[in-house]
Amino acid sequence: MDIASLQAQHPEHWRLACAIRVLALDAVAAANSGHSGMPMGMADVATVLFQNHLKFDAAAPDWEDRDRFILSAGHGSMLIYALLHLTGYEDMTLEQIKNFRQWGAITAGHPEYGHAKGLETTTGPLGQGIANAVGFAMAEEHLRARWGAKIQDHHTYVIAGDGCLMEGVSQEAIGIAGRHQLSKLIVLWDDNGITIDGKVELSDITDQRARFAASGWDVFDCDGHDPADIDRAITAAKASKRPAMIACKTHIALGSSAQDTSKGHGALTDAQLIADTRAVYGWEHGPFVIPADIKSAWEAIGSRGAEARAAWQERLSALSATKQAEFARIFARDLPARLPAAIRKVKKTAVDAPKKMASRAASEVVLKAINPIVSDTMGGSADLTGSNNTKTDDLGMFETDNRGGRYVYWGIREHGMASAMNGLALHGGIRPYSGTFMAFTDYARPAMRLSALMGVPVVYVMTHDSIGLGEDGPTHQPVEHLAISRATPNTLVFRPADLVETAEVWELALQQKTTPSVISLSRQGLAPVRGTHTSKNLSAQGGYVLADAEGKRRVILIATGSEVEIALKARELLQAEGIGTRVVSLPSMELFNAQPESYRKRVLPAGPVRVGIEAGVRAGGWDQYLLGERARKSAFVGMSSFGASAPAERLYEEFGITAENVVEQAKTLL
Amino acid sequence: MDIASLQAQHPEHWRLACAIRVLALDAVAAANSGHSGMPMGMADVATVLFQNHLKFDAAAPDWEDRDRFILSAGHGSMLIYALLHLTGYEDMTLEQIKNFRQWGAITAGHPEYGHAKGLETTTGPLGQGIANAVGFAMAEEHLRARWGAKIQDHHTYVIAGDGCLMEGVSQEAIGIAGRHQLSKLIVLWDDNGITIDGKVELSDITDQRARFAASGWDVFDCDGHDPADIDRAITAAKASKRPAMIACKTHIALGSSAQDTSKGHGALTDAQLIADTRAVYGWEHGPFVIPADIKSAWEAIGSRGAEARAAWQERLSALSATKQAEFARIFARDLPARLPAAIRKVKKTAVDAPKKMASRAASEVVLKAINPIVSDTMGGSADLTGSNNTKTDDLGMFETDNRGGRYVYWGIREHGMASAMNGLALHGGIRPYSGTFMAFTDYARPAMRLSALMGVPVVYVMTHDSIGLGEDGPTHQPVEHLAISRATPNTLVFRPADLVETAEVWELALQQKTTPSVISLSRQGLAPVRGTHTSKNLSAQGGYVLADAEGKRRVILIATGSEVEIALKARELLQAEGIGTRVVSLPSMELFNAQPESYRKRVLPAGPVRVGIEAGVRAGGWDQYLLGERARKSAFVGMSSFGASAPAERLYEEFGITAENVVEQAKTLL
């Protein structure tokens, strides 16, 4: 790789690419932190992609049929910020670039979804971008099948580094994309041979080409600094019938004295190094100065797609008014007007014909009402379809020959599933929900956190939510997972007690536009707890009085999900002894905490002793209600250790989560 | 595959293997739950492995030089329970088999480490076993280099299913094993083509042979029901110079009407099906009946290794007394007698020459004292060596040509790293510690939970533990991760405030024999908070009075880690206004909660108002001390949202985690 000859052979390209490079150098130097080397190394690939291939219009960043560009190697954020600025995205001003990594700037250390237009997803935790991209590409396939290629027909491009490819989630993503032959997914691998600790071979000798090929991808190569070669490879990848990986051989921190070293991965801030690198580039302009001709060449690239977008807009306008309204609805994440009545009907039927039912089965009943009405749902499971009760007959299977199918067999890939769900939702037009066992929250955690951080309203259907799953034992029995999700900001955790509450919490989950939901569901059968039909969604208050005390109120039992039934039994026993007992069902702590103090006080008045009941650890938010919220004396009946392997009833007895123990605890407090 | 001809060609093998099959069928039927099909499918492979290859002695399950056998596909637990019973492990009685999945039995639904001898690790959460196995194989390589092949020289065998191979962690494990050319690691892939949702191709088309080969493995094939072919493949794999994968083509639920179906994956409990299957097997004995000749043939297999073990014992006894004592010490997880003095010296030096220092840097100082003394530590990092400060010069790099090296460059593989750490510790003779950014707890969670569940004393070095990491922004800033680890049973979470506390918590972490530790460390520099040297390890009490009130005690500030410095500053401001203020440093909530009430009351007496200070969410255990433990009025200064990208000082200001805000909160309460 000889910079002088590259420059000589492709002078215009060279200047465009160097505009990215110097902006990255200058911004990182000004911030005195960040990652210079990746943008310097991948500037040529990005330039060719944006100049010749990427379908976009900087003036219309939300164009629903744009190609999606995902920087999975998110630490190289200055690459995308430079591209957005240069191509003329309105919000990405030079001022923002100068304020890289500063308080209030949209140019965060890693690309943060929602901060700036053109950032399709938040990246930085490695491997997430490539796994999100699988969801983006699935969304495109699905919407193309439903709306036709005139309305949805675009590519998903990903820049991924060695870090992304070493993370296990990338294998799950590669597996899903290969299985589904997502031919419009193109991964550009920044093959620079360097990680933070040193050369890649310090920790990996994997032949990435062979690895992708093994999962059904087409693999291409290019010299990542030769624009003609890059263009050839991208053109070939687009023509491929399978997902494509292009190994772009690059030099990290190209042209600097830190080139090809792990030092080059980080922040290059030395003034002399930067001056020397500018000289190597033949770049004679000061910090943050982009000559007008280069800026306007870049802006021309930014408006290259305007015509295509206008044509697309015409095609969209040619659709029937109903179809246009539906298209707008799904991208606005609005719910069909018919949904509330359908939910109420489920609730009414449940009250009219009560029966014992696991809440995972209740969830299936609710989904059977939702899916025919909410046409934008896509369901799935990480190889536990029959256990998670996530599939309804009308969905059809998402398949290579049935892209309109709405059910995905994700395989044993909780992490890849959750990350792809983020991508499905971020693409727009899809409401993903998928299931696994709640204990495997652990596997999906990195993506679940990003759902919350980005504000993506995906729905996690987490079944087998306690020791109540029984014989599979402690590896499969969540005890700390309600606590984990509740400790995560911007996450709604629902634990419904019966079919009525399950219908209510599904409605609440679907109403969210910027918050993910975790629905915690039992494996074991539960007795119905709601005996009277209410049109009102009582779960919307988070907690409510399910059964009030008869006589003087001396005890309040607070319970969630499968333990509400136990609370009701304990209440009967206490009432039989003349001890007035209220039962509060608490399907969502977050929603309860959001109620006004006056409401919370009505539900949890000072005075009575309180017992909290949940088959999880107390750390799951319980001290708020057992020590706070006007509490006096209180106790907790739940788990303080991992579970065990035995039939569910035996486990509840052995761990003392029984009506009898609740009664005993309450009486001790009185 | 023709059962009759297999039976005819290898009659003795057939009877041995069928003993496993019928025990699995009978135990699952008795429990009315479990997984019959996997043991039925892999019985032939397991029989050949145990009969001809596995080095073990059922009478000495803890023999340090035994081959390790790991059932990564843990749902097939009856396979290993049957093997342990048949070969004569004392604790695995027929009664235990009959009580499969019942309360108190050692035969849990999934193999639980510590329940029965011969279970090398807990498996069930898929992919963990194969990733643990990488740690086992590394331990063997390392100990062989240190002790010689006469003392340590054994194989690690893994049975893995499609589920294990779809989980991303398997790719991380494959990558690590391939990089390190762990030639004594042999993975037997149960290639039965079936998952719970149906055929594997429903969710995956990966060519597993090509995938393993891409990461530097040797790949072999066999007919998983033909004992001669299985033997040939295992023999070849043992001869390979690289880690080996054997694709064993098998039929799940062999010989039953559920063969080759997803139904066969689960619990086969139908009496007729079981009777028919017995007939196909030619097995004429009742439930749980193993004919004496078959049992004694299996017991002969179980004692096959007795001679080798006796010879090994002689070789061990021939070592010098010092060496024998050291060998015993490392397997007993005892600490060298010299360690306490070395820790005290670090503490004394820190007090004598105080300086501002990030606690991650403090951790490195402590490791420099520990590693030369505790020869059984192995350190590492998930590609953040310089940031996690986990490497000390004396360790040397674990390498193909330097197996005695004690530092591992794990690559960008937090999950694989954590799972391999479990394996290193479970093997015995190694004390693993390794680092990543604390936010990436999420990636390592499934393995961290298993450390706790199994009681494996690994040490997680989690640096960059708050918004104090600054510009990298919210993706990299943990806010809920202290809460996550604290909510997990049997986990010690340490957040030291300075070098003295860091030395103390490292000592505590190393003292653990059955509990993992999470050490939460700052990126940013911290002022020393301990001005007086004490020989006593004050952190052992979990929390202690760091600075007491002058005058009447009106305020107690409780803080951890980097926020202790803020508490001390706030105390100065409050005392300047004549408000007597105590500061409690709380490096470990778990250890503080374990103190007697009398001690806790001395530290946190009733009366004064309290302010808790931690740059994480309040859900991280704070309500215990702010609402409970005799609390009256209180406030919390910390995070209630995700962080942001900006310099650390600015973030602390913007999120209000400042001495000034603490003062304001305290005064509002007074």
Side-chain angles (χ1 to χ4, degrees), chain A residues 8-21:
Chain A
Q9 284 169 40
H10 309 282
E12 200 203 343
H13 165 86
W14 181 257
R15 294 181 76 216
L16 291 172
C18 280
I20 297 173
R21 292 188 171 101

Side-chain angles (χ1 to χ4, degrees), chain A residues 375-495:
Chain A
S375 61
D376 40 332
T377 55
M378 281 186 83
S381 167
D383 198 48
L384 291 166
T385 293
S387 298
N388 299 143
N389 300 64
T390 36
K391 189 169 188 302
T392 62
D393 290 341
D394 56 319
L395 292 179
M397 178 181 163
F398 179 80
E399 242 302 8
T400 47
D401 58 2
N402 184 33
R403 299 300 199 184
R406 290 161 60 195
Y407 192 80
V408 184
Y409 291 101
W410 293 108
I412 300 101
R413 303 182 179 109
E414 300 81 8
H415 193 178
M417 171 179 87
S419 195
M421 285 165 73
N422 283 340
L424 283 166
L426 287 163
H427 178 280
I430 312 268
R431 286 172 186 276
Y433 72 84
S434 284
T436 185
F437 287 164
M438 183 174 240
F440 303 148
T441 295
D442 288 347
Y443 281 80
R445 258 300 295 178
M448 291 177 76
R449 182 178 206 243
L450 282 165
S451 308
L453 178 58
M454 292 192 275
V456 178
V458 299
V459 182
Y460 294 103
V461 180
M462 298 307 205
T463 72
H464 297 60
D465 70 348
S466 75
I467 54 167
L469 66 84
E471 293 88 345
D472 273 341
T475 52
H476 287 52
Q477 291 162 356
V479 298
E480 72 273 43
H481 300 88
L482 288 165
I484 288 173
S485 289
R486 288 179 184 147
T488 306
N490 194 38
T491 300
L492 282 175
V493 181
F494 294 110
R495 193 155 189 260

Side-chain angles (χ1 to χ4, degrees), chain A residues 40 90 109 142 185 273 392 452 466 498 581 612:
Chain A
M40 292 161 74
E90 197 179 352
H142 179 69
L185 174 62
L273 178 149
T392 62
S466 75
D498 68 1
T581 301

Side-chain angles (χ1 to χ4, degrees), chain A residues 101 109-110 126 167-168 172 179 195 197 201 204 206-207 214-215 383 413-414 443 449 472 477 480, chain B residues 101 110 126 167-168 172 179 195 197 201 203-204 206-207 214-215 383 413-414 443 449 472 477 480:
Chain A
R101 295 182 154 232
H110 294 82
L126 293 173
E167 291 287 0
E172 300 184 24
R179 166 61 184 82
T195 73
D197 275 352
E201 57 252 43
D204 197 37
T206 297
D207 176 345
S215 287
D383 198 48
R413 303 182 179 109
E414 300 81 8
Y443 281 80
R449 182 178 206 243
D472 273 341
Q477 291 162 356
E480 72 273 43
Chain B
R101 293 183 155 232
H110 293 81
L126 293 174
E167 291 287 0
E172 300 185 22
R179 166 60 182 82
T195 72
D197 275 352
E201 56 253 41
S203 56
D204 197 39
T206 297
D207 175 346
S215 287
D383 198 48
R413 303 182 180 107
E414 300 82 6
Y443 281 79
R449 182 178 207 245
D472 273 340
Q477 291 162 357
E480 72 274 43

